[in-house]
Amino acid sequence: DVSGTATFSSTTNYNYKSTGLGVNAGTDKIIKVSATGQFMIITDNHNDKLAVSKDYGNTWTVVLSNDNFYHCAISATGQYMVACADPGYLYISNNFGSSFTQTSVFGLSTTQTWTSVAISANGQYITAVMDSTSNSGFAYVSRNYGVSFSQIQLNGTSLACGRCAMSSDGKFQIVSIASNVTNYYLSTNYGQTFTSTTFTLNAGGAIAAPTTKWWDVAVSSSGKYMLISTYSSSSGCYYSKDYGATWSQVSGIATTYNYNSVAMSQNGQYMMFGITNANNNTLYVQNNTPGTTGQTISTYMTSTDGISSANNFASCAISADGNYFVALSSTTTTSNLYIVQPVKTTITNTYS
Protein backbone atom coordinates (compact mmCIF):
# COMPACT_ATOMS: atom_id res chain seq x y z
CA ASP A 1 0.00 0.00 0.00
CA VAL A 2 0.99 3.59 -0.57
CA SER A 3 1.16 5.81 2.49
CA GLY A 4 2.04 9.40 3.21
CA THR A 5 1.61 12.42 0.98
CA ALA A 6 3.56 12.66 -2.23
CA THR A 7 4.81 16.00 -3.50
CA PHE A 8 5.09 16.91 -7.14
CA SER A 9 7.61 19.53 -8.11
CA SER A 10 7.95 21.52 -11.32
CA THR A 11 11.36 21.41 -12.91
CA THR A 12 12.97 22.03 -16.27
CA ASN A 13 15.85 19.66 -15.52
CA TYR A 14 14.63 16.95 -17.90
CA ASN A 15 16.45 13.92 -19.26
CA TYR A 16 15.53 13.32 -22.90
CA LYS A 17 15.47 9.76 -24.21
CA SER A 18 13.88 8.28 -27.30
CA THR A 19 10.93 5.88 -27.08
CA GLY A 20 11.66 4.70 -30.62
CA LEU A 21 8.09 5.39 -31.70
CA GLY A 22 8.76 8.27 -34.03
CA VAL A 23 6.63 11.38 -34.31
CA ASN A 24 2.96 11.28 -35.23
CA ALA A 25 -0.01 13.13 -33.80
CA GLY A 26 -2.97 11.23 -32.42
CA THR A 27 -4.54 9.95 -29.24
CA ASP A 28 -4.42 6.23 -30.04
CA LYS A 29 -1.23 5.61 -28.07
CA ILE A 30 -1.42 3.54 -24.88
CA ILE A 31 1.11 2.92 -22.11
CA LYS A 32 0.91 0.34 -19.32
CA VAL A 33 3.41 -0.41 -16.54
CA SER A 34 4.27 -3.36 -14.32
CA ALA A 35 3.74 -3.32 -10.55
CA THR A 36 7.14 -1.79 -9.78
CA GLY A 37 7.37 0.31 -12.93
CA GLN A 38 10.39 -1.57 -14.26
CA PHE A 39 8.58 -2.95 -17.32
CA MET A 40 6.50 -0.77 -19.65
CA ILE A 41 4.69 -1.36 -22.93
CA ILE A 42 3.43 1.16 -25.49
CA THR A 43 1.13 0.50 -28.43
CA ASP A 44 1.04 3.19 -31.12
CA ASN A 45 -1.79 2.94 -33.63
CA HIS A 46 -0.55 5.88 -35.69
CA ASN A 47 2.92 4.44 -36.27
CA ASP A 48 1.83 0.75 -36.17
CA LYS A 49 4.41 -0.04 -33.50
CA LEU A 50 4.67 -1.89 -30.21
CA ALA A 51 7.57 -0.89 -27.95
CA VAL A 52 8.82 -2.29 -24.63
CA SER A 53 11.04 -0.88 -21.90
CA LYS A 54 12.71 -3.06 -19.27
CA ASP A 55 14.48 -0.32 -17.33
CA TYR A 56 11.78 1.99 -15.97
CA GLY A 57 11.30 3.77 -19.30
CA ASN A 58 14.89 4.82 -19.80
CA THR A 59 15.40 2.85 -23.02
CA TRP A 60 12.91 1.38 -25.48
CA THR A 61 12.89 -1.40 -28.06
CA VAL A 62 10.36 -1.56 -30.90
CA VAL A 63 9.40 -5.24 -30.80
CA LEU A 64 6.67 -5.25 -33.47
CA SER A 65 5.82 -2.89 -36.32
CA ASN A 66 3.45 -4.92 -38.43
CA ASP A 67 -0.09 -4.19 -37.22
CA ASN A 68 -2.49 -1.41 -36.21
CA PHE A 69 -1.68 -1.72 -32.50
CA TYR A 70 -4.44 -0.08 -30.47
CA HIS A 71 -4.31 -1.15 -26.81
CA CYS A 72 -2.20 -3.20 -24.40
CA ALA A 73 -1.96 -4.62 -20.88
CA ILE A 74 0.78 -6.00 -18.64
CA SER A 75 0.94 -8.42 -15.70
CA ALA A 76 2.30 -7.41 -12.28
CA THR A 77 5.81 -8.78 -12.84
CA GLY A 78 5.89 -7.78 -16.51
CA GLN A 79 6.37 -11.37 -17.64
CA TYR A 80 3.06 -11.43 -19.49
CA MET A 81 2.02 -8.70 -21.92
CA VAL A 82 -0.91 -8.59 -24.33
CA ALA A 83 -1.67 -6.19 -27.17
CA CYS A 84 -4.50 -5.85 -29.65
CA ALA A 85 -4.83 -4.20 -33.05
CA ASP A 86 -7.74 -2.33 -34.63
CA PRO A 87 -8.15 -3.76 -37.14
CA GLY A 88 -5.88 -6.70 -36.55
CA TYR A 89 -5.08 -9.50 -34.12
CA LEU A 90 -4.16 -10.21 -30.50
CA TYR A 91 -0.51 -10.65 -29.52
CA ILE A 92 0.79 -12.21 -26.30
CA SER A 93 4.25 -12.25 -24.73
CA ASN A 94 5.30 -14.56 -21.88
CA ASN A 95 8.95 -13.49 -21.78
CA PHE A 96 8.82 -9.91 -20.49
CA GLY A 97 8.16 -8.47 -23.93
CA SER A 98 11.16 -9.95 -25.70
CA SER A 99 8.84 -11.46 -28.32
CA PHE A 100 5.11 -11.64 -29.05
CA THR A 101 3.02 -14.39 -30.63
CA GLN A 102 -0.03 -13.69 -32.79
CA THR A 103 -2.85 -15.47 -30.98
CA SER A 104 -6.00 -17.15 -32.25
CA VAL A 105 -9.09 -15.98 -30.37
CA PHE A 106 -12.13 -18.28 -30.32
CA GLY A 107 -11.46 -19.42 -33.87
CA LEU A 108 -11.82 -15.94 -35.35
CA SER A 109 -9.68 -16.25 -38.46
CA THR A 110 -9.88 -12.70 -39.80
CA THR A 111 -8.74 -9.38 -38.42
CA GLN A 112 -11.06 -7.85 -35.84
CA THR A 113 -11.72 -4.36 -34.52
CA TRP A 114 -10.18 -4.98 -31.08
CA THR A 115 -10.43 -1.90 -28.85
CA SER A 116 -9.12 -3.06 -25.47
CA VAL A 117 -7.40 -5.83 -23.53
CA ALA A 118 -6.96 -6.45 -19.80
CA ILE A 119 -4.85 -8.93 -17.86
CA SER A 120 -4.74 -10.18 -14.28
CA ALA A 121 -1.73 -9.64 -12.04
CA ASN A 122 -0.40 -13.17 -12.61
CA GLY A 123 -1.25 -13.19 -16.33
CA GLN A 124 -3.70 -16.08 -16.08
CA TYR A 125 -6.82 -14.11 -17.01
CA ILE A 126 -7.00 -12.09 -20.22
CA THR A 127 -10.08 -10.28 -21.52
CA ALA A 128 -10.44 -8.60 -24.92
CA VAL A 129 -13.31 -6.61 -26.45
CA MET A 130 -14.00 -5.11 -29.86
CA ASP A 131 -16.08 -2.45 -31.55
CA SER A 132 -19.24 -2.54 -33.67
CA THR A 133 -19.02 -5.80 -35.62
CA SER A 134 -21.06 -9.00 -35.59
CA ASN A 135 -18.56 -10.38 -33.07
CA SER A 136 -18.47 -7.32 -30.79
CA GLY A 137 -21.46 -8.24 -28.64
CA PHE A 138 -19.17 -10.52 -26.68
CA ALA A 139 -16.15 -10.40 -24.40
CA TYR A 140 -13.37 -12.85 -25.19
CA VAL A 141 -11.91 -14.32 -22.00
CA SER A 142 -8.92 -16.57 -21.43
CA ARG A 143 -8.34 -18.34 -18.11
CA ASN A 144 -5.12 -20.09 -19.15
CA TYR A 145 -2.63 -17.32 -20.00
CA GLY A 146 -4.03 -16.84 -23.50
CA VAL A 147 -3.77 -20.45 -24.66
CA SER A 148 -7.50 -20.47 -25.47
CA PHE A 149 -10.40 -18.02 -25.27
CA SER A 150 -14.11 -18.33 -24.51
CA GLN A 151 -16.76 -16.13 -26.08
CA ILE A 152 -18.83 -14.57 -23.29
CA GLN A 153 -22.05 -12.78 -24.16
CA LEU A 154 -22.47 -9.09 -23.50
CA ASN A 155 -25.53 -8.14 -25.56
CA GLY A 156 -24.95 -10.90 -28.13
CA THR A 157 -25.16 -8.55 -31.10
CA SER A 158 -23.12 -5.62 -32.36
CA LEU A 159 -21.84 -3.44 -29.50
CA ALA A 160 -19.48 -0.47 -29.40
CA CYS A 161 -17.18 -1.69 -26.64
CA GLY A 162 -14.78 0.92 -25.29
CA ARG A 163 -12.25 -0.25 -22.71
CA CYS A 164 -12.01 -3.15 -20.26
CA ALA A 165 -10.16 -3.56 -16.97
CA MET A 166 -10.00 -6.08 -14.14
CA SER A 167 -8.95 -6.57 -10.54
CA SER A 168 -5.58 -8.15 -9.78
CA ASP A 169 -7.05 -11.63 -9.41
CA GLY A 170 -9.36 -11.23 -12.42
CA LYS A 171 -12.55 -11.70 -10.39
CA PHE A 172 -14.00 -8.23 -11.01
CA GLN A 173 -14.09 -6.95 -14.59
CA ILE A 174 -15.70 -3.96 -16.25
CA VAL A 175 -16.38 -3.11 -19.91
CA SER A 176 -17.32 0.43 -20.95
CA ILE A 177 -19.60 1.21 -23.89
CA ALA A 178 -18.27 3.80 -26.34
CA SER A 179 -21.61 5.45 -26.81
CA ASN A 180 -23.97 7.88 -25.07
CA VAL A 181 -25.70 5.20 -23.01
CA THR A 182 -26.47 4.74 -19.31
CA ASN A 183 -25.07 1.25 -18.80
CA TYR A 184 -21.85 -0.74 -18.64
CA TYR A 185 -21.01 -4.43 -18.33
CA LEU A 186 -19.77 -5.93 -15.07
CA SER A 187 -18.42 -9.35 -14.16
CA THR A 188 -17.96 -10.54 -10.58
CA ASN A 189 -16.99 -14.13 -11.42
CA TYR A 190 -13.70 -13.99 -13.33
CA GLY A 191 -15.37 -13.17 -16.64
CA GLN A 192 -17.64 -16.21 -16.67
CA THR A 193 -20.63 -13.90 -17.17
CA PHE A 194 -21.12 -10.16 -17.73
CA THR A 195 -24.22 -8.25 -16.64
CA SER A 196 -25.53 -5.05 -18.21
CA THR A 197 -25.60 -2.63 -15.28
CA THR A 198 -27.18 0.81 -15.13
CA PHE A 199 -25.02 3.64 -13.80
CA THR A 200 -26.45 4.59 -10.39
CA LEU A 201 -25.31 7.48 -8.23
CA ASN A 202 -24.05 6.62 -4.77
CA ALA A 203 -26.32 9.39 -3.45
CA GLY A 204 -29.28 7.90 -5.32
CA GLY A 205 -30.67 8.44 -8.78
CA ALA A 206 -29.40 7.70 -12.26
CA ILE A 207 -26.35 9.07 -14.09
CA ALA A 208 -27.19 10.79 -17.35
CA ALA A 209 -25.63 9.51 -20.56
CA PRO A 210 -22.57 11.52 -21.67
CA THR A 211 -22.90 13.70 -24.74
CA THR A 212 -20.44 11.51 -26.65
CA LYS A 213 -19.33 8.26 -24.99
CA TRP A 214 -17.97 6.44 -21.96
CA TRP A 215 -14.35 5.51 -22.46
CA ASP A 216 -11.42 4.46 -20.27
CA VAL A 217 -11.69 2.35 -17.11
CA ALA A 218 -9.41 1.41 -14.20
CA VAL A 219 -9.85 -1.05 -11.32
CA SER A 220 -8.00 -1.33 -8.01
CA SER A 221 -6.26 -4.53 -6.94
CA SER A 222 -9.20 -5.80 -4.89
CA GLY A 223 -11.82 -4.63 -7.38
CA LYS A 224 -13.53 -2.50 -4.72
CA TYR A 225 -12.56 0.78 -6.37
CA MET A 226 -13.29 1.53 -10.02
CA LEU A 227 -12.83 4.56 -12.25
CA ILE A 228 -14.45 5.43 -15.58
CA SER A 229 -14.02 8.40 -17.89
CA THR A 230 -16.19 10.09 -20.48
CA TYR A 231 -15.10 11.45 -23.82
CA SER A 232 -17.51 14.31 -23.44
CA SER A 233 -17.67 18.06 -23.00
CA SER A 234 -19.70 18.04 -19.80
CA SER A 235 -19.58 14.75 -17.89
CA GLY A 236 -16.06 14.33 -16.46
CA CYS A 237 -15.18 11.08 -14.66
CA TYR A 238 -16.88 8.84 -12.10
CA TYR A 239 -15.57 6.48 -9.40
CA SER A 240 -17.05 3.56 -7.49
CA LYS A 241 -16.05 2.34 -4.03
CA ASP A 242 -18.40 -0.64 -3.90
CA TYR A 243 -17.23 -2.94 -6.71
CA GLY A 244 -19.09 -1.02 -9.41
CA ALA A 245 -22.50 -1.05 -7.75
CA THR A 246 -22.82 2.75 -7.40
CA TRP A 247 -20.85 5.75 -8.67
CA SER A 248 -19.95 9.34 -7.73
CA GLN A 249 -18.60 12.08 -9.96
CA VAL A 250 -14.92 12.83 -9.42
CA SER A 251 -14.52 16.26 -7.88
CA GLY A 252 -11.55 18.59 -8.27
CA ILE A 253 -11.14 18.05 -12.01
CA ALA A 254 -12.76 19.90 -14.90
CA THR A 255 -15.81 18.27 -16.50
CA THR A 256 -15.39 20.08 -19.81
CA TYR A 257 -12.64 17.89 -21.28
CA ASN A 258 -12.24 14.62 -23.15
CA TYR A 259 -10.65 12.16 -20.72
CA ASN A 260 -8.92 9.66 -22.98
CA SER A 261 -7.15 7.87 -20.15
CA VAL A 262 -7.51 7.19 -16.43
CA ALA A 263 -5.33 5.18 -14.03
CA MET A 264 -5.40 4.04 -10.42
CA SER A 265 -2.84 2.66 -7.97
CA GLN A 266 -3.49 -0.80 -6.56
CA ASN A 267 -5.18 0.41 -3.37
CA GLY A 268 -7.15 3.22 -5.01
CA GLN A 269 -5.23 5.98 -3.28
CA TYR A 270 -3.78 7.62 -6.37
CA MET A 271 -5.83 8.42 -9.46
CA MET A 272 -4.63 9.96 -12.70
CA PHE A 273 -6.61 11.63 -15.50
CA GLY A 274 -5.29 12.39 -18.99
CA ILE A 275 -6.95 14.99 -21.22
CA THR A 276 -6.80 14.99 -25.02
CA ASN A 277 -8.50 18.26 -25.90
CA ALA A 278 -6.48 20.20 -28.47
CA ASN A 279 -3.77 22.44 -27.02
CA ASN A 280 -4.48 21.36 -23.46
CA ASN A 281 -1.43 20.41 -21.43
CA THR A 282 -3.10 19.54 -18.14
CA LEU A 283 -2.71 16.21 -16.38
CA TYR A 284 -4.56 15.70 -13.11
CA VAL A 285 -3.35 13.55 -10.22
CA GLN A 286 -5.33 12.99 -7.04
CA ASN A 287 -4.15 11.59 -3.72
CA ASN A 288 -7.06 10.31 -1.69
CA THR A 289 -8.07 8.21 1.22
CA PRO A 290 -8.87 5.05 -0.75
CA GLY A 291 -12.31 5.25 -2.27
CA THR A 292 -12.77 8.99 -1.91
CA THR A 293 -11.93 11.86 -4.23
CA GLY A 294 -11.49 15.56 -4.01
CA GLN A 295 -7.89 16.39 -3.14
CA THR A 296 -6.08 17.36 -6.31
CA ILE A 297 -2.41 17.08 -5.40
CA SER A 298 -1.24 18.64 -8.56
CA THR A 299 -2.33 19.95 -11.89
CA TYR A 300 1.14 19.41 -13.23
CA MET A 301 2.99 19.13 -16.51
CA THR A 302 1.97 22.54 -17.76
CA SER A 303 3.72 25.21 -19.83
CA THR A 304 5.33 26.55 -16.64
CA ASP A 305 7.20 23.24 -16.44
CA GLY A 306 8.82 23.92 -19.80
CA ILE A 307 6.38 21.65 -21.64
CA SER A 308 4.70 22.82 -24.84
CA SER A 309 1.16 24.09 -24.37
CA ALA A 310 0.20 22.04 -27.43
CA ASN A 311 0.54 18.73 -25.59
CA ASN A 312 -2.43 16.50 -24.99
CA PHE A 313 -2.25 13.34 -22.92
CA ALA A 314 -3.22 10.23 -24.84
CA SER A 315 -2.52 7.77 -22.04
CA CYS A 316 -1.48 7.57 -18.40
CA ALA A 317 -0.58 4.78 -15.99
CA ILE A 318 0.46 4.28 -12.36
CA SER A 319 2.63 1.48 -11.03
CA ALA A 320 0.87 -0.65 -8.41
CA ASP A 321 3.14 0.65 -5.65
CA GLY A 322 2.42 4.27 -6.59
CA ASN A 323 6.08 5.12 -7.15
CA TYR A 324 5.85 5.68 -10.92
CA PHE A 325 3.35 7.88 -12.71
CA VAL A 326 3.69 7.88 -16.49
CA ALA A 327 1.90 9.87 -19.17
CA LEU A 328 2.16 9.65 -22.93
CA SER A 329 1.35 12.72 -24.98
CA SER A 330 1.20 13.32 -28.69
CA THR A 331 1.37 16.38 -30.91
CA THR A 332 2.16 17.03 -34.55
CA THR A 333 5.82 17.65 -33.73
CA THR A 334 6.71 15.37 -30.83
CA SER A 335 5.61 12.28 -28.94
CA ASN A 336 6.53 12.68 -25.28
CA LEU A 337 6.72 10.18 -22.47
CA TYR A 338 6.71 11.82 -19.05
CA ILE A 339 7.80 9.79 -16.06
CA VAL A 340 7.14 11.11 -12.56
CA GLN A 341 8.47 9.62 -9.33
CA PRO A 342 6.46 11.46 -6.65
CA VAL A 343 8.44 10.16 -3.70
CA LYS A 344 11.60 11.64 -5.18
CA THR A 345 9.74 14.80 -6.28
CA THR A 346 11.23 14.66 -9.76
CA ILE A 347 9.84 14.85 -13.26
CA THR A 348 11.67 13.08 -16.04
CA ASN A 349 10.80 13.73 -19.66
CA THR A 350 11.76 11.11 -22.25
CA TYR A 351 10.65 11.61 -25.79
CA SER A 352 11.24 10.92 -29.44
Side-chain angles (χ1 to χ4, degrees):
D1 290 349
V2 180
S3 61
T5 300
T7 303
F8 294 84
S9 65
S10 298
T11 177
T12 56
N13 185 24
Y14 300 118
N15 294 317
Y16 301 102
K17 297 180 181 179
S18 174
T19 63
L21 295 175
V23 175
N24 197 318
T27 59
D28 296 330
K29 301 173 189 289
I30 300 298
I31 185 167
K32 299 294 181 179
V33 302
S34 64
T36 63
Q38 179 180 353
F39 295 91
M40 301 183 186
I41 178 175
I42 291 176
T43 48
D44 180 358
N45 188 255
H46 295 273
N47 286 307
D48 298 338
K49 292 179 181 178
L50 184 156
V52 171
S53 174
K54 300 181 180 182
D55 57 4
Y56 302 91
N58 288 306
T59 60
W60 290 84
T61 300
V62 175
V63 183
L64 293 176
S65 56
N66 60 344
D67 212 338
N68 306 295
F69 298 106
Y70 195 77
H71 199 255
C72 57
I74 187 171
S75 66
T77 64
Q79 180 179 354
Y80 296 94
M81 301 181 189
V82 58
C84 66
D86 181 13
Y89 299 92
L90 252 63
Y91 298 83
I92 296 176
S93 172
N94 60 8
N95 56 11
F96 298 92
S98 294
S99 61
F100 285 77
T101 301
Q102 183 177 305
T103 303
S104 175
V105 178
F106 196 69
L108 301 177
S109 58
T110 60
T111 61
Q112 303 293 327
T113 56
W114 299 108
T115 58
S116 184
V117 288
I119 194 168
S120 61
N122 67 357
Q124 179 181 353
Y125 294 92
I126 298 172
T127 294
V129 295
M130 64 178 76
D131 176 32
S132 300
T133 71
S134 59
N135 296 312
S136 66
F138 304 87
Y140 296 84
V141 179
S142 174
R143 301 179 183 89
N144 54 10
Y145 301 90
V147 174
S148 62
F149 284 80
S150 300
Q151 187 184 62
I152 309 299
Q153 181 171 313
L154 298 176
N155 71 350
T157 60
S158 179
L159 186 65
C161 293
R163 301 291 196 214
C164 59
M166 67 175 69
S167 58
S168 290
D169 60 3
K171 181 177 182 180
F172 297 94
Q173 303 188 26
I174 183 173
V175 178
S176 69
I177 307 303
S179 183
N180 57 337
V181 296
T182 58
N183 68 305
Y184 56 102
Y185 285 85
L186 186 66
S187 175
T188 59
N189 56 10
Y190 300 92
Q192 295 182 54
T193 59
F194 284 83
T195 302
S196 176
T197 307
T198 300
F199 281 104
T200 303
L201 284 169
N202 180 261
I207 297 176
T211 55
T212 306
K213 63 184 177 182
W214 299 97
W215 195 229
D216 203 22
V217 286
V219 179
S220 67
S221 178
S222 66
K224 183 176 183 179
Y225 307 117
M226 296 184 178
L227 190 59
I228 189 167
S229 74
T230 66
Y231 210 80
S232 176
S233 59
S234 61
S235 301
C237 300
Y238 289 83
Y239 73 97
S240 173
K241 54 182 179 180
D242 53 13
Y243 300 93
T246 62
W247 299 80
S248 300
Q249 192 170 44
V250 175
S251 60
I253 65 173
T255 60
T256 54
Y257 293 130
N258 298 329
Y259 288 93
N260 197 63
S261 182
V262 293
M264 179 183 288
S265 60
Q266 65 176 355
N267 67 346
Q269 179 176 356
Y270 293 108
M271 296 188 294
M272 199 171 185
F273 309 85
I275 299 169
T276 56
N277 292 63
N279 297 323
N280 187 289
N281 58 350
T282 300
L283 186 71
Y284 290 107
V285 173
Q286 289 192 345
N287 179 18
N288 318 283
T289 301
T292 67
T293 65
Q295 180 191 359
T296 300
I297 289 187
S298 182
T299 302
Y300 71 94
M301 296 180 186
T302 67
S303 56
T304 58
D305 300 320
I307 297 172
S308 168
S309 61
N311 275 308
N312 56 71
F313 290 95
S315 184
C316 59
I318 306 174
S319 63
D321 58 15
N323 282 333
Y324 284 87
F325 293 66
V326 298
L328 188 64
S329 69
S330 179
T331 71
T332 56
T333 57
T334 184
S335 181
N336 298 329
L337 172 64
Y338 300 94
I339 301 174
V340 183
Q341 293 176 267
V343 175
K344 297 180 180 179
T345 64
T346 59
I347 296 176
T348 303
N349 175 5
T350 65
Y351 77 100
S352 62

